[in-house]
Amino acid sequence: MTLAFLGMNWQTLADAVSLGAIYALMAVGIGLVFGVLRLVNFAYGQLVMAGAYALAFAYDHGWPVSVGILLCFAVVLTLSLLLDRIVFRPLRAHSPAVMLVATFAIAFLLQSIALLWFGPLGKISASLAALNQPVTISGVDIRKIAIVATALAAACLLALVLLLGRTRVGLHMRAAAMDFRTAELLGVRAGRVITAAVLVSGVLAAIVAVMLTVQTPLVTPDFALRDTILVLAGVVLGGMNRLVPATLGGFAIGFASGLLGGALPTNWSQYLPSFLFAAVILVLLVRPGGLFTREGQRAAERV
Amino acid sequence: MRRTAALQLLAPLFLVGVAALIGTLVSTSTETYVINALVNVAIVVALYVFIGNSGVLSFGHISFVAVGAWAAGVLSMPVQEKPAIMPHLASLLRDHAIGNVPSLALAAAVGAAYALVIGLPLMRLSGLGAGIATFGVLEITHNVLRYWETIGPGLNTFSAVPETTGLLQASIGAALAVIVAFAYRRSRFGRLLSATREDAAAARAVGVSVYRQRLVAFVLSGGLAGFAGGLYVHLLPVNTESLYLDIPFLTLAMLLIGGATSLWGAVVGALAVSGVDSFLAEAETGIHVFGQPLNLPAGTRIVVVGAFMALVLILRPAGLTGGRELSFRQLRPLRVLTKFAK
């Protein structure tokens, strides 16, 4: 009916939802670090890329899936902590522009290391390829990964809500995100909060790596780069200063890009990035504080 | 005061001159690197005019380089070559060709016009919003130039554009960009804009329109960027991919490494990073350094340049020059040296 008229089917819709869910996880990963460090981590996609290479490496050597996933987590978390020590902390006091370009440089660096190490052709990671099989739900075929990704993302977000809302470290993280210096004065340990945020964000990156490699088994040096750019746009779109709006923004841009990518005819869908970014620019002009923030929540414009 | 101003103009020009001089002394293959470095100087100076003076980040300037390259490339390609490379070109563009200098002027004009269209709405933003919005402009420009074959080669490469950007043209182009940037910085507009960078509230309080001053700088730097794009397309066969993610990052890093708030920093950064980059590119093909053979594996170059940028940004976030213009005080140690030499 309406769906068919738009050239869509249920598979497209499910894919769009699952892409939105994955992007929402990435948005949280970026938003958490931004909250405590005020640093836009452009290199987030390269964490995902490193995790994907770990999965491909395990697949190459014929290791079982569980070992591959463990390796992926180990690699991503180690890299996150390293980046935190070497890059993020020394940069904390600097201007947002310098921080953004520095993480840009790190992204560039990690990408070229991957290029040097693994070559431009890419590696295959197909250990979870079975998840691409469709499952029939009341006469509609939907790929399993769409369901798994959506469920997993929902579970992660729920766990995160509990972590932030119910635990001491979550409380500290929220306090730090609200006002870092005041939180520090009130006895929140800065180092511990930053480490916690970076670790949680790393765990999310590893999960995203696992799910993205199912959808795109070919792992290349620019793996997840486009996704990161879109998620960043989504995060700013939703409202960078708050976690929930940022997550919604990530979901929205993933959903929109999945939906339009599946629904538009080819000669239009090649202009998809233009439509998405035009929408992002429009939102930024109309609501600079973010799409999903309430009036009072918006960061006061600095004069 | 006048001596200081002269130094601020002559020091960057001197560096451009030295680079050009080096270009005349080296082999033809190395000369290409020098020319490339000089075109980079023009791009980075264009970035400086807006980013340095306003303190607002823009990833979008390579869009202006790209439209400048497109304008100059499409129109200066010989008419008989056009159908092969750009089969879907609009007839107006297909049937006309212009010379080298007009194409550069056109590139500057198109860059400025595009910057005006973009800047009218976007100059209201600042901070992260400006960063992401200008990134969006880059994405859209890349996407449209890549697929819209009525106005250019689409995915094809700009081969058959006359390669007129030799050492002379690149040096004159870089020097011209430096002079324009200097004149702007000394003008009323440049001073007002840097006042808004230092303290936007105070600048507003004395009646400066932040929006208008940013727009002026944006259009001027868009024009310079378009001009640099014209130089670029006359240097080597460009395509959309060569003007996408790497160049914006590299040029922005050059600006920040040199020190974003000074013209001197922009030129130093562009030449320093280009120098390191070309040296490593040569080393990948195998060279001798102080009698030692040096042969790096292919791809080392980007890793080292990336690490170099990250290091400078972490250790010296204000850039190599600290974002200051060269002053006589900084030159004083040199004078001591010359005294000793006597």
Side-chain angles (χ1 to χ4, degrees):
Chain A
M1 334 151 309
T2 333
L3 279 175
F5 169 73
L6 286 169
M8 264 188 273
N9 53 32
W10 290 106
Q11 176 66 63
T12 312
L13 196 65
D15 281 346
V17 171
S18 75
L19 192 64
I22 293 177
Y23 281 11
L25 287 187
M26 292 179 77
V28 177
I30 292 172
L32 269 177
V33 171
F34 181 78
V36 292
L37 284 170
R38 298 283 124 180
L39 170 134
V40 179
N41 187 4
F42 199 87
Y44 196 66
Q46 277 63 34
L47 288 178
V48 176
M49 173 208 62
Y53 269 113
L55 287 168
F57 183 82
Y59 178 73
D60 236 20
H61 288 68
W63 296 347
V65 184
S66 54
V67 177
I69 293 180
L70 271 181
L71 184 68
C72 166
F73 272 81
V75 166
V76 176
L77 288 179
T78 314
L79 196 57
S80 303
L81 287 178
L82 271 179
L83 282 185
D84 176 38
R85 291 286 148 162
I86 304 174
V87 187
F88 296 173
R89 290 193 193 204
L91 278 177
R92 247 177 75 192
H94 301 317
S95 77
V98 168
M99 294 202 286
L100 185 59
V101 177
T103 61
F104 220 97
I106 297 298
F108 196 67
L109 180 64
L110 291 176
Q111 202 175 320
S112 42
I113 290 175
L115 188 67
L116 198 61
W117 205 338
F118 301 104
L121 291 179
K123 301 260 174 224
I124 299 288
S125 158
S127 44
L128 287 167
L131 283 176
N132 276 322
Q133 298 300 322
V135 47
T136 311
I137 301 171
S138 61
V140 181
D141 283 347
I142 289 174
R143 287 190 297 145
K144 277 183 200 155
I145 180 65
I147 300 167
V148 173
T150 313
L152 200 55
C156 286
L157 292 179
L158 189 68
L160 205 72
V161 168
L162 290 178
L163 176 78
L164 288 176
R166 303 272 174 211
T167 64
R168 181 176 286 258
V169 71
L171 181 68
H172 287 176
M173 274 200 288
R174 280 187 297 145
M178 196 86 76
D179 185 337
F180 200 91
R181 284 184 65 190
T182 311
E184 237 181 331
L185 285 175
L186 292 173
V188 169
R189 292 200 187 155
R192 201 176 285 176
V193 167
I194 294 172
T195 309
V198 167
L199 275 180
V200 174
S201 140
V203 168
L204 293 172
I207 294 172
V208 168
V210 174
M211 286 189 293
L212 277 183
T213 47
V214 177
Q215 301 196 322
T216 328
L218 182 67
V219 183
T220 49
D222 61 354
F223 190 82
L225 178 67
R226 287 218 58 82
D227 304 287
T228 314
I229 294 173
L230 278 177
V231 170
L232 270 178
V235 165
V236 175
L237 192 72
M240 190 96 215
N241 279 318
R242 299 277 163 159
L243 214 46
V244 176
T247 315
L248 283 177
F251 180 84
I253 203 143
F255 184 73
S257 118
L259 206 59
L260 291 174
L264 289 173
T266 325
N267 57 340
W268 279 103
S269 68
Q270 64 192 15
Y271 291 113
L272 176 64
S274 296
F275 289 125
L276 282 179
F277 278 98
V280 169
I281 292 174
L282 200 66
V283 171
L284 281 173
L285 289 172
V286 181
R287 295 200 59 166
L291 198 54
F292 301 115
T293 46
R294 264 173 282 147
E295 203 69 31
Q297 278 183 355
R298 269 188 248 165
E301 180 121 357
R302 268 190 58 202
V303 280
Chain B
M1 203 58 217
R2 196 170 289 160
R3 275 177 56 212
T4 315
L7 183 70
Q8 285 173 8
L9 175 64
L10 292 179
L13 282 181
F14 175 72
L15 276 190
V16 169
V18 169
L21 197 65
I22 292 172
T24 59
L25 298 176
V26 292
S27 65
T28 327
S29 63
T30 318
E31 192 189 350
T32 318
Y33 291 121
V34 177
I35 300 173
N36 215 336
L38 287 168
V39 174
N40 284 339
V41 168
I43 299 180
V44 176
V45 166
L47 289 179
Y48 154 77
V49 167
F50 179 70
I51 300 175
N53 289 323
S54 73
V56 178
L57 198 58
S58 162
F59 290 105
H61 272 70
I62 299 302
S63 332
F64 310 137
V65 175
V67 294
W70 247 240
V74 167
L75 275 166
S76 63
M77 197 184 288
V79 172
Q80 66 273 18
E81 305 273 3
K82 284 185 185 180
I85 296 160
M86 304 178 283
H88 305 290
L89 203 61
S91 57
L92 181 73
L93 299 172
R94 193 183 58 215
D95 302 334
H96 296 85
I98 56 177
N100 173 44
V101 174
S103 79
L104 291 175
L106 181 77
V110 170
Y114 189 45
L116 179 65
V117 173
I118 301 290
L120 276 174
L122 251 56
M123 284 304 103
R124 287 166 36 193
L125 299 171
S126 54
L128 273 177
I132 294 291
T134 51
F135 201 96
V137 172
L138 178 70
E139 285 282 338
I140 293 174
T141 313
H142 168 74
N143 187 241
V144 168
L145 290 182
R146 187 182 156 106
Y147 292 110
W148 198 15
E149 295 181 330
T150 319
I151 55 159
L155 278 166
N156 288 340
T157 298
F158 266 115
S159 39
V161 173
E163 293 183 359
T164 49
T165 301
L167 193 59
L168 182 68
Q169 179 154 310
S171 315
I172 295 175
L176 211 58
V178 167
I179 293 169
V180 170
F182 173 78
Y184 169 75
R185 177 66 185 81
R186 301 281 300 176
S187 75
R188 175 185 163 77
F189 295 107
R191 287 166 198 267
L192 289 179
L193 186 65
S194 49
T196 71
R197 177 193 70 206
E198 294 306 323
D199 192 335
R204 279 206 186 96
V206 292
V208 181
S209 161
V210 176
Y211 171 77
R212 193 177 304 152
Q213 293 309 326
R214 285 185 183 165
L215 188 61
V216 169
F218 199 66
V219 172
L220 181 65
S221 88
L224 284 177
F227 172 68
L231 291 176
Y232 203 53
V233 78
H234 283 296
L235 168 65
L236 44 97
V238 172
N239 63 19
T240 48
E241 298 318 299
S242 55
L243 290 170
Y244 184 40
L245 281 180
D246 287 359
I247 294 264
F249 163 65
L250 271 170
T251 47
L252 199 58
M254 285 173 188
L255 180 66
L256 292 180
I257 283 175
T261 49
S262 71
L263 180 58
W264 171 241
V267 176
V268 167
L271 288 176
V273 176
S274 307
V276 173
D277 192 41
S278 338
F279 172 76
L280 291 166
E282 273 295 277
E284 280 177 13
T285 59
I287 51 165
H288 289 264
V289 180
F290 304 121
Q292 295 294 313
L294 181 66
N295 199 348
L296 300 170
T300 322
R301 173 180 149 216
I302 28 182
V303 173
V304 175
V305 170
F308 176 59
M309 284 167 187
L311 265 181
V312 172
L313 288 173
I314 293 166
L315 299 178
R316 268 198 84 112
L320 294 174
T321 64
R324 282 189 294 270
E325 298 292 351
L326 192 64
S327 65
F328 286 105
R329 191 175 301 159
Q330 283 167 290
L331 287 177
R332 207 169 283 160
L334 290 180
R335 211 176 294 158
V336 175
L337 280 182
T338 48
K339 247 180 218 162
F340 272 115
K342 277 174 197 164

